[in-house]
Amino acid sequence: VIFIILLLLGNSRLFEYSILYNKIKEVDKMKDEFISMASHELRTPVTVIRGYIEMLINDSDKISKEENKEYLSIINISAERLASLIEDLLNVSRIEQGRLKMEMKEMDVWPMVEETVKEMKIQSDGKGLALTCSIDEKAKAIINADKDRLKQVLINIIGNSIKYTPSGSVEIKALNRDKNLVLIIKDTGIGMTSKQREHLFEKFYRIKTEKTADIVGTGLGLWITKQIIELMKGTIMIDSMENVGTKVTLEFPLIDNK
């Protein structure tokens, strides 16, 4: 009996070691994929910036004012993309180490939603998409949140909807449900399968299909978004159907502000 018990314990430890080894292999694979992806994402805007700056320096006497303005605009877009990627990497580090600062205050969410929609209308108009927002007449929108972080969440989610919607619309709605503010961001985009949806909030995960091949990203945005929402005592849920669209639902506890 003792021999059998020892044998079972030994097999149990071997099984645990096997699971641990597989997890380590998986983490190493994710790390390698991330380094490759991050290197590519960093290299692209840096190459663009260097190329256009070199052109402006070497051919300054041949470049017209209109071309000069166009080149500087491209440099600015690439610089913003580079800054965004670096900020994502820093946010991952801050969240994992518990150093992400949150300044929680009572705030009315709806003006921020309208402001964000106005800012992102340039992107949607550029793709010919209808971007709209509406609030239920009886809805209250006072919650306890970090203003800047909530703005970051809205930009990321609405931006994703625009990015993954080739045609149609992106619609934002606000309503109340069970003493919670509910924000719904719904699009008519490419959607995703149930299997893809299972991995959506994993760090570095990106859906890789022919339709997403030309869409840039690191796979960190939704992971960071989920962490920020949970730090503000909220929840995020995503429903999606391939070739039909995606619906993102955010819920935050309402403050009873009479």
Side-chain angles (χ1 to χ4, degrees), residues 72-110:
L72 289 174
S73 177
I74 293 170
I75 290 170
N76 184 54
I77 290 168
S78 295
E80 286 179 356
R81 181 177 165 191
L82 191 59
S84 178
L85 175 59
I86 293 168
E87 185 63 24
D88 277 352
L89 296 173
L90 290 172
N91 279 333
V92 169
S93 176
R94 291 172 189 140
I95 290 167
E96 288 185 332
Q97 296 175 23
R99 296 187 296 105
L100 189 70
K101 293 182 180 179
M102 302 287 287
E103 296 183 11
M104 305 291 283
K105 295 179 181 178
E106 288 187 15
M107 61 170 290
D108 186 352
V109 176
W110 192 244

mmCIF file of all heavy atoms in Angstrom, residues 72-110:
data_model
loop_
_atom_site.group_PDB
_atom_site.id
_atom_site.type_symbol
_atom_site.label_atom_id
_atom_site.label_comp_id
_atom_site.label_asym_id
_atom_site.label_seq_id
_atom_site.Cartn_x
_atom_site.Cartn_y
_atom_site.Cartn_z
ATOM 1 N N LEU A 72 5.258 66.157 -43.286
ATOM 2 C CA LEU A 72 5.258 66.386 -41.837
ATOM 3 C C LEU A 72 4.047 65.734 -41.168
ATOM 4 O O LEU A 72 4.131 65.239 -40.051
ATOM 5 C CB LEU A 72 5.274 67.893 -41.550
ATOM 6 C CG LEU A 72 6.590 68.626 -41.853
ATOM 7 C CD1 LEU A 72 6.414 70.123 -41.673
ATOM 8 C CD2 LEU A 72 7.712 68.119 -40.951
ATOM 9 N N SER A 73 2.926 65.733 -41.878
ATOM 10 C CA SER A 73 1.719 65.085 -41.371
ATOM 11 C C SER A 73 1.927 63.574 -41.225
ATOM 12 O O SER A 73 1.527 62.964 -40.225
ATOM 13 C CB SER A 73 0.537 65.366 -42.302
ATOM 14 O OG SER A 73 -0.614 64.687 -41.870
ATOM 15 N N ILE A 74 2.576 62.957 -42.226
ATOM 16 C CA ILE A 74 2.870 61.516 -42.180
ATOM 17 C C ILE A 74 3.821 61.208 -41.026
ATOM 18 O O ILE A 74 3.652 60.219 -40.303
ATOM 19 C CB ILE A 74 3.474 61.050 -43.524
ATOM 20 C CG1 ILE A 74 2.415 61.149 -44.623
ATOM 21 C CG2 ILE A 74 3.989 59.617 -43.419
ATOM 22 C CD1 ILE A 74 2.967 60.956 -46.033
ATOM 23 N N ILE A 75 4.823 62.062 -40.840
ATOM 24 C CA ILE A 75 5.780 61.895 -39.732
ATOM 25 C C ILE A 75 5.051 61.963 -38.389
ATOM 26 O O ILE A 75 5.297 61.173 -37.482
ATOM 27 C CB ILE A 75 6.898 62.953 -39.809
ATOM 28 C CG1 ILE A 75 7.812 62.676 -41.003
ATOM 29 C CG2 ILE A 75 7.713 62.989 -38.513
ATOM 30 C CD1 ILE A 75 8.789 63.792 -41.314
ATOM 31 N N ASN A 76 4.125 62.917 -38.289
ATOM 32 C CA ASN A 76 3.368 63.090 -37.041
ATOM 33 C C ASN A 76 2.515 61.855 -36.731
ATOM 34 O O ASN A 76 2.459 61.401 -35.588
ATOM 35 C CB ASN A 76 2.477 64.327 -37.155
ATOM 36 C CG ASN A 76 1.734 64.617 -35.864
ATOM 37 O OD1 ASN A 76 2.339 64.734 -34.806
ATOM 38 N ND2 ASN A 76 0.422 64.712 -35.940
ATOM 39 N N ILE A 77 1.851 61.303 -37.755
ATOM 40 C CA ILE A 77 1.021 60.103 -37.570
ATOM 41 C C ILE A 77 1.883 58.929 -37.101
ATOM 42 O O ILE A 77 1.510 58.182 -36.179
ATOM 43 C CB ILE A 77 0.289 59.747 -38.884
ATOM 44 C CG1 ILE A 77 -0.795 60.797 -39.186
ATOM 45 C CG2 ILE A 77 -0.343 58.357 -38.798
ATOM 46 C CD1 ILE A 77 -1.378 60.693 -40.586
ATOM 47 N N SER A 78 3.046 58.758 -37.722
ATOM 48 C CA SER A 78 3.951 57.664 -37.346
ATOM 49 C C SER A 78 4.484 57.852 -35.930
ATOM 50 O O SER A 78 4.637 56.883 -35.177
ATOM 51 C CB SER A 78 5.116 57.576 -38.342
ATOM 52 O OG SER A 78 4.660 57.215 -39.617
ATOM 53 N N ALA A 79 4.775 59.108 -35.565
ATOM 54 C CA ALA A 79 5.261 59.397 -34.210
ATOM 55 C C ALA A 79 4.185 59.084 -33.165
ATOM 56 O O ALA A 79 4.481 58.541 -32.090
ATOM 57 C CB ALA A 79 5.685 60.856 -34.113
ATOM 58 N N GLU A 80 2.935 59.413 -33.493
ATOM 59 C CA GLU A 80 1.825 59.111 -32.581
ATOM 60 C C GLU A 80 1.636 57.604 -32.418
ATOM 61 O O GLU A 80 1.377 57.106 -31.321
ATOM 62 C CB GLU A 80 0.533 59.742 -33.103
ATOM 63 C CG GLU A 80 0.468 61.251 -32.910
ATOM 64 C CD GLU A 80 -0.809 61.863 -33.465
ATOM 65 O OE1 GLU A 80 -1.614 61.116 -34.077
ATOM 66 O OE2 GLU A 80 -1.004 63.074 -33.281
ATOM 67 N N ARG A 81 1.773 56.872 -33.511
ATOM 68 C CA ARG A 81 1.667 55.412 -33.462
ATOM 69 C C ARG A 81 2.772 54.812 -32.599
ATOM 70 O O ARG A 81 2.547 53.894 -31.807
ATOM 71 C CB ARG A 81 1.758 54.860 -34.894
ATOM 72 C CG ARG A 81 1.629 53.355 -34.978
ATOM 73 C CD ARG A 81 1.669 52.917 -36.435
ATOM 74 N NE ARG A 81 1.896 51.508 -36.560
ATOM 75 C CZ ARG A 81 2.174 50.898 -37.706
ATOM 76 N NH1 ARG A 81 2.249 51.606 -38.818
ATOM 77 N NH2 ARG A 81 2.378 49.600 -37.762
ATOM 78 N N LEU A 82 3.965 55.357 -32.737
ATOM 79 C CA LEU A 82 5.111 54.903 -31.943
ATOM 80 C C LEU A 82 4.884 55.187 -30.460
ATOM 81 O O LEU A 82 5.128 54.333 -29.600
ATOM 82 C CB LEU A 82 6.377 55.615 -32.435
ATOM 83 C CG LEU A 82 7.730 55.108 -31.936
ATOM 84 C CD1 LEU A 82 7.942 53.653 -32.316
ATOM 85 C CD2 LEU A 82 8.839 55.973 -32.509
ATOM 86 N N ALA A 83 4.398 56.388 -30.164
ATOM 87 C CA ALA A 83 4.126 56.767 -28.773
ATOM 88 C C ALA A 83 3.043 55.885 -28.163
ATOM 89 O O ALA A 83 3.124 55.497 -26.986
ATOM 90 C CB ALA A 83 3.696 58.233 -28.722
ATOM 91 N N SER A 84 2.019 55.545 -28.972
ATOM 92 C CA SER A 84 0.928 54.694 -28.504
ATOM 93 C C SER A 84 1.426 53.302 -28.141
ATOM 94 O O SER A 84 1.028 52.724 -27.126
ATOM 95 C CB SER A 84 -0.150 54.608 -29.578
ATOM 96 O OG SER A 84 -1.196 53.750 -29.171
ATOM 97 N N LEU A 85 2.304 52.742 -28.979
ATOM 98 C CA LEU A 85 2.860 51.422 -28.720
ATOM 99 C C LEU A 85 3.694 51.418 -27.447
ATOM 100 O O LEU A 85 3.563 50.516 -26.608
ATOM 101 C CB LEU A 85 3.713 50.981 -29.911
ATOM 102 C CG LEU A 85 4.466 49.658 -29.769
ATOM 103 C CD1 LEU A 85 3.497 48.507 -29.516
ATOM 104 C CD2 LEU A 85 5.312 49.373 -30.999
ATOM 105 N N ILE A 86 4.521 52.433 -27.286
ATOM 106 C CA ILE A 86 5.360 52.530 -26.082
ATOM 107 C C ILE A 86 4.488 52.672 -24.831
ATOM 108 O O ILE A 86 4.751 52.054 -23.801
ATOM 109 C CB ILE A 86 6.344 53.715 -26.206
ATOM 110 C CG1 ILE A 86 7.364 53.436 -27.310
ATOM 111 C CG2 ILE A 86 7.050 53.982 -24.884
ATOM 112 C CD1 ILE A 86 8.187 54.619 -27.720
ATOM 113 N N GLU A 87 3.413 53.466 -24.935
ATOM 114 C CA GLU A 87 2.505 53.655 -23.808
ATOM 115 C C GLU A 87 1.822 52.338 -23.427
ATOM 116 O O GLU A 87 1.643 52.039 -22.238
ATOM 117 C CB GLU A 87 1.458 54.713 -24.159
ATOM 118 C CG GLU A 87 0.520 55.085 -23.019
ATOM 119 C CD GLU A 87 1.232 55.713 -21.831
ATOM 120 O OE1 GLU A 87 2.335 56.280 -22.008
ATOM 121 O OE2 GLU A 87 0.684 55.644 -20.715
ATOM 122 N N ASP A 88 1.447 51.533 -24.443
ATOM 123 C CA ASP A 88 0.849 50.219 -24.178
ATOM 124 C C ASP A 88 1.811 49.334 -23.390
ATOM 125 O O ASP A 88 1.419 48.672 -22.420
ATOM 126 C CB ASP A 88 0.477 49.525 -25.494
ATOM 127 C CG ASP A 88 -0.867 49.986 -26.026
ATOM 128 O OD1 ASP A 88 -1.572 50.725 -25.309
ATOM 129 O OD2 ASP A 88 -1.215 49.625 -27.164
ATOM 130 N N LEU A 89 3.062 49.310 -23.816
ATOM 131 C CA LEU A 89 4.067 48.489 -23.129
ATOM 132 C C LEU A 89 4.272 48.949 -21.689
ATOM 133 O O LEU A 89 4.385 48.141 -20.764
ATOM 134 C CB LEU A 89 5.391 48.541 -23.894
ATOM 135 C CG LEU A 89 5.380 47.941 -25.307
ATOM 136 C CD1 LEU A 89 6.702 48.205 -26.005
ATOM 137 C CD2 LEU A 89 5.097 46.456 -25.255
ATOM 138 N N LEU A 90 4.298 50.268 -21.484
ATOM 139 C CA LEU A 90 4.452 50.817 -20.134
ATOM 140 C C LEU A 90 3.240 50.491 -19.268
ATOM 141 O O LEU A 90 3.375 50.157 -18.085
ATOM 142 C CB LEU A 90 4.662 52.336 -20.197
ATOM 143 C CG LEU A 90 6.006 52.810 -20.758
ATOM 144 C CD1 LEU A 90 5.999 54.315 -20.931
ATOM 145 C CD2 LEU A 90 7.155 52.395 -19.852
ATOM 146 N N ASN A 91 2.037 50.572 -19.867
ATOM 147 C CA ASN A 91 0.820 50.270 -19.111
ATOM 148 C C ASN A 91 0.769 48.815 -18.668
ATOM 149 O O ASN A 91 0.315 48.507 -17.563
ATOM 150 C CB ASN A 91 -0.422 50.597 -19.946
ATOM 151 C CG ASN A 91 -0.758 52.075 -19.918
ATOM 152 O OD1 ASN A 91 -0.442 52.774 -18.963
ATOM 153 N ND2 ASN A 91 -1.385 52.566 -20.974
ATOM 154 N N VAL A 92 1.220 47.904 -19.534
ATOM 155 C CA VAL A 92 1.274 46.484 -19.155
ATOM 156 C C VAL A 92 2.160 46.312 -17.922
ATOM 157 O O VAL A 92 1.793 45.631 -16.963
ATOM 158 C CB VAL A 92 1.803 45.620 -20.327
ATOM 159 C CG1 VAL A 92 2.108 44.205 -19.853
ATOM 160 C CG2 VAL A 92 0.790 45.564 -21.449
ATOM 161 N N SER A 93 3.324 46.939 -17.949
ATOM 162 C CA SER A 93 4.258 46.843 -16.825
ATOM 163 C C SER A 93 3.647 47.438 -15.549
ATOM 164 O O SER A 93 3.730 46.849 -14.473
ATOM 165 C CB SER A 93 5.556 47.579 -17.177
ATOM 166 O OG SER A 93 6.437 47.588 -16.087
ATOM 167 N N ARG A 94 2.998 48.607 -15.676
ATOM 168 C CA ARG A 94 2.387 49.256 -14.503
ATOM 169 C C ARG A 94 1.268 48.409 -13.909
ATOM 170 O O ARG A 94 1.158 48.276 -12.686
ATOM 171 C CB ARG A 94 1.838 50.623 -14.907
ATOM 172 C CG ARG A 94 2.896 51.666 -15.242
ATOM 173 C CD ARG A 94 2.247 52.899 -15.815
ATOM 174 N NE ARG A 94 3.212 53.861 -16.346
ATOM 175 C CZ ARG A 94 3.047 54.547 -17.458
ATOM 176 N NH1 ARG A 94 1.944 54.383 -18.186
ATOM 177 N NH2 ARG A 94 3.963 55.399 -17.863
ATOM 178 N N ILE A 95 0.421 47.847 -14.779
ATOM 179 C CA ILE A 95 -0.704 47.035 -14.299
ATOM 180 C C ILE A 95 -0.209 45.789 -13.592
ATOM 181 O O ILE A 95 -0.678 45.435 -12.503
ATOM 182 C CB ILE A 95 -1.635 46.658 -15.481
ATOM 183 C CG1 ILE A 95 -2.383 47.900 -15.984
ATOM 184 C CG2 ILE A 95 -2.650 45.589 -15.054
ATOM 185 C CD1 ILE A 95 -3.081 47.696 -17.314
ATOM 186 N N GLU A 96 0.772 45.100 -14.189
ATOM 187 C CA GLU A 96 1.270 43.860 -13.609
ATOM 188 C C GLU A 96 1.962 44.097 -12.273
ATOM 189 O O GLU A 96 1.952 43.229 -11.399
ATOM 190 C CB GLU A 96 2.231 43.176 -14.584
ATOM 191 C CG GLU A 96 1.519 42.568 -15.789
ATOM 192 C CD GLU A 96 2.459 41.800 -16.689
ATOM 193 O OE1 GLU A 96 3.661 42.148 -16.724
ATOM 194 O OE2 GLU A 96 2.000 40.854 -17.347
ATOM 195 N N GLN A 97 2.556 45.275 -12.101
ATOM 196 C CA GLN A 97 3.252 45.594 -10.851
ATOM 197 C C GLN A 97 2.373 46.386 -9.881
ATOM 198 O O GLN A 97 2.837 46.801 -8.822
ATOM 199 C CB GLN A 97 4.527 46.378 -11.157
ATOM 200 C CG GLN A 97 5.550 45.592 -11.960
ATOM 201 C CD GLN A 97 6.753 46.429 -12.352
ATOM 202 O OE1 GLN A 97 7.071 47.441 -11.726
ATOM 203 N NE2 GLN A 97 7.450 46.013 -13.399
ATOM 204 N N GLY A 98 1.104 46.597 -10.249
ATOM 205 C CA GLY A 98 0.191 47.332 -9.372
ATOM 206 C C GLY A 98 0.543 48.797 -9.221
ATOM 207 O O GLY A 98 0.253 49.417 -8.199
ATOM 208 N N ARG A 99 1.153 49.379 -10.265
ATOM 209 C CA ARG A 99 1.600 50.776 -10.189
ATOM 210 C C ARG A 99 0.778 51.719 -11.068
ATOM 211 O O ARG A 99 1.129 52.876 -11.227
ATOM 212 C CB ARG A 99 3.072 50.882 -10.600
ATOM 213 C CG ARG A 99 4.051 50.165 -9.706
ATOM 214 C CD ARG A 99 5.494 50.455 -10.074
ATOM 215 N NE ARG A 99 5.842 49.963 -11.409
ATOM 216 C CZ ARG A 99 5.993 50.730 -12.473
ATOM 217 N NH1 ARG A 99 5.822 52.035 -12.398
ATOM 218 N NH2 ARG A 99 6.319 50.209 -13.645
ATOM 219 N N LEU A 100 -0.304 51.207 -11.659
ATOM 220 C CA LEU A 100 -1.119 52.071 -12.518
ATOM 221 C C LEU A 100 -1.939 53.022 -11.649
ATOM 222 O O LEU A 100 -2.781 52.594 -10.854
ATOM 223 C CB LEU A 100 -2.052 51.235 -13.388
ATOM 224 C CG LEU A 100 -2.797 52.008 -14.477
ATOM 225 C CD1 LEU A 100 -1.831 52.465 -15.568
ATOM 226 C CD2 LEU A 100 -3.906 51.168 -15.089
ATOM 227 N N LYS A 101 -1.697 54.312 -11.795
ATOM 228 C CA LYS A 101 -2.370 55.304 -10.959
ATOM 229 C C LYS A 101 -3.800 55.532 -11.430
ATOM 230 O O LYS A 101 -4.052 55.715 -12.621
ATOM 231 C CB LYS A 101 -1.600 56.628 -10.976
ATOM 232 C CG LYS A 101 -0.241 56.551 -10.299
ATOM 233 C CD LYS A 101 0.451 57.895 -10.315
ATOM 234 C CE LYS A 101 1.816 57.819 -9.640
ATOM 235 N NZ LYS A 101 2.511 59.140 -9.663
ATOM 236 N N MET A 102 -4.727 55.522 -10.497
ATOM 237 C CA MET A 102 -6.141 55.751 -10.805
ATOM 238 C C MET A 102 -6.651 56.880 -9.914
ATOM 239 O O MET A 102 -6.583 56.786 -8.687
ATOM 240 C CB MET A 102 -6.960 54.486 -10.545
ATOM 241 C CG MET A 102 -6.518 53.265 -11.332
ATOM 242 S SD MET A 102 -6.938 53.358 -13.089
ATOM 243 C CE MET A 102 -8.697 53.098 -13.018
ATOM 244 N N GLU A 103 -7.124 57.966 -10.531
ATOM 245 C CA GLU A 103 -7.702 59.084 -9.781
ATOM 246 C C GLU A 103 -9.219 59.027 -9.917
ATOM 247 O O GLU A 103 -9.795 59.580 -10.852
ATOM 248 C CB GLU A 103 -7.153 60.415 -10.305
ATOM 249 C CG GLU A 103 -5.649 60.568 -10.092
ATOM 250 C CD GLU A 103 -5.143 61.915 -10.561
ATOM 251 O OE1 GLU A 103 -5.980 62.808 -10.852
ATOM 252 O OE2 GLU A 103 -3.913 62.080 -10.652
ATOM 253 N N MET A 104 -9.828 58.322 -8.987
ATOM 254 C CA MET A 104 -11.268 58.065 -9.061
ATOM 255 C C MET A 104 -12.059 59.280 -8.560
ATOM 256 O O MET A 104 -11.837 59.764 -7.456
ATOM 257 C CB MET A 104 -11.622 56.828 -8.241
ATOM 258 C CG MET A 104 -10.834 55.587 -8.622
ATOM 259 S SD MET A 104 -11.281 54.949 -10.240
ATOM 260 C CE MET A 104 -12.821 54.135 -9.858
ATOM 261 N N LYS A 105 -12.987 59.745 -9.414
ATOM 262 C CA LYS A 105 -13.850 60.876 -9.058
ATOM 263 C C LYS A 105 -15.243 60.653 -9.631
ATOM 264 O O LYS A 105 -15.412 59.939 -10.616
ATOM 265 C CB LYS A 105 -13.275 62.185 -9.620
ATOM 266 C CG LYS A 105 -11.939 62.598 -9.020
ATOM 267 C CD LYS A 105 -11.439 63.882 -9.663
ATOM 268 C CE LYS A 105 -10.090 64.288 -9.096
ATOM 269 N NZ LYS A 105 -9.562 65.520 -9.746
ATOM 270 N N GLU A 106 -16.224 61.297 -9.018
ATOM 271 C CA GLU A 106 -17.582 61.246 -9.565
ATOM 272 C C GLU A 106 -17.604 62.030 -10.881
ATOM 273 O O GLU A 106 -17.091 63.143 -10.957
ATOM 274 C CB GLU A 106 -18.591 61.848 -8.586
ATOM 275 C CG GLU A 106 -18.840 60.983 -7.372
ATOM 276 C CD GLU A 106 -19.961 61.525 -6.499
ATOM 277 O OE1 GLU A 106 -20.712 62.402 -6.979
ATOM 278 O OE2 GLU A 106 -20.073 61.098 -5.338
ATOM 279 N N MET A 107 -18.196 61.437 -11.898
ATOM 280 C CA MET A 107 -18.227 62.120 -13.197
ATOM 281 C C MET A 107 -19.432 61.676 -14.011
ATOM 282 O O MET A 107 -19.955 60.573 -13.847
ATOM 283 C CB MET A 107 -16.935 61.845 -13.970
ATOM 284 C CG MET A 107 -16.684 60.381 -14.292
ATOM 285 S SD MET A 107 -15.305 60.153 -15.435
ATOM 286 C CE MET A 107 -15.998 60.805 -16.942
ATOM 287 N N ASP A 108 -19.851 62.572 -14.890
ATOM 288 C CA ASP A 108 -20.922 62.283 -15.839
ATOM 289 C C ASP A 108 -20.261 61.743 -17.111
ATOM 290 O O ASP A 108 -19.483 62.439 -17.771
ATOM 291 C CB ASP A 108 -21.706 63.565 -16.140
ATOM 292 C CG ASP A 108 -22.936 63.298 -17.004
ATOM 293 O OD1 ASP A 108 -23.084 62.155 -17.483
ATOM 294 O OD2 ASP A 108 -23.746 64.218 -17.178
ATOM 295 N N VAL A 109 -20.565 60.494 -17.452
ATOM 296 C CA VAL A 109 -19.879 59.824 -18.557
ATOM 297 C C VAL A 109 -20.309 60.342 -19.929
ATOM 298 O O VAL A 109 -19.499 60.436 -20.841
ATOM 299 C CB VAL A 109 -20.127 58.298 -18.480
ATOM 300 C CG1 VAL A 109 -19.518 57.586 -19.677
ATOM 301 C CG2 VAL A 109 -19.547 57.740 -17.194
ATOM 302 N N TRP A 110 -21.583 60.705 -20.069
ATOM 303 C CA TRP A 110 -22.111 60.962 -21.398
ATOM 304 C C TRP A 110 -21.403 62.086 -22.161
ATOM 305 O O TRP A 110 -21.114 61.935 -23.359
ATOM 306 C CB TRP A 110 -23.613 61.207 -21.354
ATOM 307 C CG TRP A 110 -24.208 61.196 -22.723
ATOM 308 C CD1 TRP A 110 -24.811 62.224 -23.378
ATOM 309 C CD2 TRP A 110 -24.222 60.100 -23.644
ATOM 310 N NE1 TRP A 110 -25.198 61.843 -24.635
ATOM 311 C CE2 TRP A 110 -24.842 60.532 -24.830
ATOM 312 C CE3 TRP A 110 -23.749 58.780 -23.578
ATOM 313 C CZ2 TRP A 110 -25.022 59.717 -25.936
ATOM 314 C CZ3 TRP A 110 -23.922 57.976 -24.681
ATOM 315 C CH2 TRP A 110 -24.558 58.434 -25.838
#
